[in-house]
Amino acid sequence: MELNQLLEVLRHTPAMQSKRAIADSISANTTCHVDSLDSLYAYPGDDTAAILLNNQTLLNDQSLNGQYILHACEGMLPNFVANHPYFAGWSAIMANISDIAAMGGRALSVVNSFWHTSNEHAQQLMQGMQDACNAYGVPLVGGHSHLEAVSQPALSVAIQGLARRLLSVLHVKPHQKILIALNLQGQFHPNTTYWKCFEHVSGCILRSQLALLPQLAEENLAHSARDISNAGILGSLLMLLEATASGADINLDAIPKPDDVDWFKWLQIFPSFGFLLTADVDKCEEIIELFHHQGITCSVIGETNVSGVVTVQQKQQKQHNIFWDFNSQVFTGFCYANVLKRVFKKIS
């Protein structure tokens, strides 16, 4: 498939269309009036909302002063819950914990709400959630359940976390390198785009791999991160860039990929471990080495710029095409470029 055709088809996948629908149906409220970057972290755009803990919020407890409490929530598609209850339960926990990690945080606890028609499937759903919580070392502390023959199977999981330093999409600036970190030791869940790399892996290893993200934040190695979600690699990249209306030049050949998977399928993956990050050029080698020690493939795939245009090139095929232009089309609509200019102008 030629590059221009590949990008055109990817722009119109159901997952990409569902993200674009956010801008049409939900107000992004990007005309918000905030006076600091810390206030903006609570707005939509990142994987989680972050609220700064300070003297006013902590009352007499000073031990967490200056840290951020993180909140996130994930809903699973009804047909996924109905047809793959155990994996849906596991995935809901996994996705939430990945969201916390992508913000530079560590998960504290999760709660859930689910509806189902089958007691057997509901038990599989709960077992998937409990097994994932055990593997990732995060307590499942409660929630809501509903069993009824006429119910539509559904699952929503919310999570809380804590971060000392944030990896926020609001930190994206020009001339940062874009890295991708992927666990290639996996396989597709049958008839889906879900790339599973947690099966037959100890919880100790899974936790060590996720712990790399807060480490990158706390050691000031990376600026921003976003986990690769159901929008796939390029769709997730758009969500990394849109908050600051940034552009990027991406080298498709630099994206790690199994030899037996074609680009169309691979670029749509929803991996159980996959992140996009931005960092300064002098930090990239150290980041890549940290992931390598945990069995994770990491590489530089591009660089950010001020154009608002995301281009993709295949050097081997000598092809170069525009994937997205934020100057003419929003994606999710969560863009804070003008707000950030006002905030940084006030700071300076």
Side-chain angles (χ1 to χ4, degrees):
M1 188 183 298
E2 292 292 315
L3 180 62
N4 62 341
Q5 183 184 3
L6 172 64
L7 298 182
E8 178 64 19
V9 175
L10 288 171
R11 279 191 290 267
H12 293 89
T13 60
M16 286 284 289
Q17 293 299 310
S18 69
K19 295 298 182 184
R20 294 178 64 182
I22 296 173
D24 297 329
S25 60
I26 302 175
S27 172
N29 194 27
T30 54
T31 58
C32 57
H33 300 284
V34 297
D35 58 3
S36 69
L37 188 58
D38 282 328
S39 300
L40 199 54
Y41 290 136
Y43 281 76
D46 270 303
D47 286 302
T48 75
I51 300 173
L52 179 66
L53 297 174
N54 53 36
N55 292 332
Q56 286 73 35
T57 58
L58 289 169
L59 298 177
N60 296 323
D61 186 355
Q62 301 301 308
S63 62
L64 299 178
N65 192 33
Q67 297 191 49
Y68 296 86
I69 190 74
L70 307 179
H71 299 277
C73 181
E74 291 283 348
M76 297 290 105
L77 293 173
N79 64 339
F80 185 34
V81 178
N83 298 324
H84 308 273
Y86 179 87
F87 187 43
W90 179 289
S91 297
I93 301 299
M94 175 191 69
N96 270 286
I97 291 175
S98 293
D99 284 346
I100 294 293
M103 199 66 168
R106 295 174 175 83
L108 295 175
S109 62
V110 294
V111 294
N112 70 86
S113 295
F114 75 85
W115 290 256
H116 220 297
T117 60
S118 163
N119 182 62
E120 179 184 357
H121 285 181
Q123 290 178 357
Q124 293 176 26
L125 193 70
M126 283 297 301
Q127 192 63 56
M129 286 188 280
Q130 190 60 67
D131 287 352
C133 283
N134 292 341
Y136 289 106
V138 180
L140 182 64
V141 296
H144 168 83
S145 59
H146 186 89
L147 282 172
E148 188 178 6
V150 296
S151 294
Q152 181 182 36
L155 170 65
S156 177
V157 174
I159 191 167
Q160 301 77 42
L162 199 63
R164 296 187 179 93
R165 190 181 182 95
L166 299 179
L167 296 174
S168 172
V169 296
L170 299 172
H171 299 166
V172 174
K173 292 182 179 179
H175 310 303
Q176 293 174 356
K177 294 297 183 181
I178 300 171
L179 301 96
I180 191 169
L182 283 169
N183 188 341
L184 298 182
Q185 306 303 312
Q187 61 183 349
F188 283 106
H189 190 71
N191 303 315
T192 72
T193 58
Y194 299 104
W195 179 256
K196 299 189 295 186
C197 37
F198 59 82
E199 293 180 313
H200 313 298
V201 179
S202 71
C204 180
I205 292 176
L206 294 175
R207 294 190 293 273
S208 294
Q209 291 171 342
L210 276 177
L212 288 173
L213 278 300
Q215 179 182 350
L216 294 180
E218 291 161 10
E219 296 182 7
N220 201 26
L221 293 174
H223 297 295
S224 66
R226 188 165 191 106
D227 75 322
I228 299 169
S229 63
N230 65 324
I233 293 174
L234 294 182
S236 299
L237 174 68
L238 295 185
M239 291 187 284
L240 178 75
L241 300 171
E242 186 174 26
T244 56
S246 297
D249 294 316
I250 301 298
N251 176 13
L252 190 66
D253 299 321
I255 297 176
K257 179 181 74 67
D259 292 336
D260 59 346
V261 181
D262 62 54
W263 279 116
F264 177 63
K265 186 170 186 178
W266 189 246
L267 290 174
Q268 294 184 73
I269 58 166
F270 189 163
S272 61
F273 189 100
F275 295 89
L276 294 164
L277 309 102
T278 67
D280 295 333
V281 62
D282 61 333
K283 306 292 187 182
C284 291
E285 185 175 346
E286 184 173 355
I287 292 172
I288 291 170
E289 192 64 23
L290 284 170
F291 279 110
H292 176 74
H293 282 311
Q294 293 286 352
I296 304 297
T297 302
C298 181
S299 61
V300 175
I301 64 170
E303 183 174 313
T304 60
N305 58 53
V306 298
S307 70
V309 179
V310 180
T311 63
V312 180
Q313 62 175 325
Q314 273 189 302
K315 292 183 178 180
Q316 294 178 355
Q317 305 297 327
K318 297 182 179 179
Q319 298 181 74
H320 183 277
N321 291 92
I322 293 175
F323 179 63
W324 204 269
D325 186 349
F326 288 120
N327 301 298
S328 59
Q329 189 174 32
V330 301
F331 187 46
T332 64
F334 297 127
C335 179
Y336 303 97
N338 292 332
V339 180
L340 287 167
K341 289 178 183 177
R342 186 175 70 244
V343 168
F344 286 120
K345 183 177 180 180
K346 182 178 179 179
I347 294 174
S348 62

